[in-house]
Amino acid sequence: MTQILTTPRSVAARAVRTRHYVMCPPTQFDVVYSINPWMDPTVAVDSAAARRQWQELHDTYVRLGHRVDLLEPVPGLPDMVFAANGAVSVGARSYGAAFAFPQRQAEAHAHVDFLRGAGREVSRPAHVNEGEGDFLVLADFVLAGTGFRTSRDAHTEAAAALGRPVVSLDLVDPRFYHLDVALAVLDDGGGEAPADIAWFPGAFSPRSRRTLRRLFPGSLECSEADALAFGLNLVSDGLNVVLPREATDLAAALVPRGYRPAPVALTEFVKGGGSVKCCTAELHR
């Protein structure tokens, strides 16, 4: 594991940095199979509500001044709305996904086509990984989850593809099957403030808990209740934090740290095991 230390947080220098996001409209979204503990095909998705909720998320990013590109949905791929899972991108480089379950594997090709069409260099993976579901990018390194969806070998492969050191973290609770439902990057450390995260310790192995506390002294440790409300499946631009409306305690805890919570309703997407971050890929600088 790469040893990287960060300095404690500072609330004085919180600042927006304009981001470049990719989202996929939910025209195909439904729950027709079960590949995580949240999915129940007997619980109907309200398609009209899903479209409204997705649009609210999209419009929130635009209102905050960010760029949002759209990935065209593919018929027969209901989980493609979870655009974060299709790749991880840093600078001009992207590392593509290789999904763990056959129901999602065709999504990877659509992401590669989109990214290459945008002029990006895309490395096709040899090892199973689910993009930004398990790779969270900071200014100087990448946090990478393993245990349920992404192989540890993919961590090494991603480091080479992206040209960034990778810190491996072990996920141990199947409810938090991706890193992005167990940990959130609040500040990536790319500005004046140091890197800052929020996370739920119960989702990680003891070794990984020690690693995170060493890397991020003073990090925000989230309650199980807010983690189960998908509160950590959030998107931050360094100042504004877009997160599920139900994660009220987490939102309140962000304010004294200098952040501005921007709650949204994404309850329909929780039926598929995702929320704000799952619906949002970022093309990182």
Side-chain angles (χ1 to χ4, degrees):
M1 183 196 74
T2 304
Q3 298 294 314
I4 305 166
L5 296 179
T6 64
T7 55
R9 65 180 177 86
S10 167
V11 300
R14 300 287 179 227
V16 174
R17 192 171 74 247
T18 302
R19 307 303 175 109
H20 186 176
Y21 299 131
V22 178
M23 298 179 68
C24 181
T27 55
Q28 301 296 313
F29 176 61
D30 200 354
V31 177
V32 295
Y33 46 74
S34 180
I35 59 173
N36 67 57
W38 302 91
M39 300 177 81
D40 181 353
T42 68
V43 177
V45 169
D46 184 332
S47 297
R51 288 192 295 271
R52 289 194 301 270
Q53 291 177 357
W54 182 92
Q55 193 66 50
E56 179 190 6
L57 178 61
H58 173 279
D59 293 350
T60 296
Y61 293 142
V62 172
R63 175 176 57 80
L64 293 172
H66 304 300
R67 173 177 172 180
V68 182
D69 291 346
L70 298 184
L71 173 66
E72 186 175 350
V74 176
L77 297 179
D79 280 341
M80 202 166 159
V81 69
F82 298 128
N85 301 155
V88 56
S89 299
V90 178
R93 301 181 180 185
S94 294
Y95 174 59
F99 287 89
F101 289 92
Q103 293 93 330
R104 298 197 67 183
Q105 287 170 359
E107 294 178 38
H109 306 297
H111 283 270
V112 169
D113 291 345
F114 174 86
L115 291 165
R116 286 182 174 163
R120 304 183 67 83
E121 174 188 336
V122 183
S123 297
R124 299 298 295 265
H127 301 288
V128 172
N129 81 89
E130 298 199 347
E132 285 189 313
D134 276 320
F135 291 103
L136 297 179
V137 177
L138 292 95
D140 298 320
F141 58 98
V142 177
L143 297 174
T146 190
F148 298 104
R149 297 293 187 88
T150 294
S151 75
R152 190 174 292 273
D153 287 337
H155 295 182
T156 303
E157 192 173 51
L162 299 173
R164 289 282 181 95
V166 168
V167 176
S168 295
L169 302 169
D170 300 309
L171 298 167
V172 297
D173 186 330
R175 297 173 300 175
F176 306 101
Y177 61 94
H178 273 157
L179 182 62
D180 72 354
V181 295
L183 184 150
V185 177
L186 297 173
D187 194 310
D188 61 15
E192 295 182 13
D196 189 22
I197 65 166
W199 59 297
F200 172 54
F204 295 90
S205 69
R207 180 197 67 83
S208 296
R209 292 197 294 269
R210 291 192 296 271
T211 296
L212 289 167
R213 287 173 176 141
R214 182 171 66 250
L215 290 175
F216 303 98
S219 60
L220 177 55
E221 298 188 6
C222 175
S223 70
E224 183 176 31
D226 273 357
L228 290 173
F230 280 75
L232 294 167
N233 197 240
L234 60 78
V235 169
S236 173
D237 61 18
L239 174 63
N240 303 291
V241 180
V242 184
L243 78 169
R245 205 163 278 166
E246 294 74 20
T248 53
D249 289 343
L250 177 57
L254 292 170
V255 175
R257 299 174 78 91
Y259 299 105
R260 296 176 183 167
V264 295
L266 284 184
T267 52
E268 291 305 306
F269 298 98
V270 170
K271 296 174 181 178
S275 189
V276 175
K277 176 56 190 168
C278 287
C279 291
T280 313
E282 182 172 352
L283 303 183
H284 297 270
R285 294 180 178 179

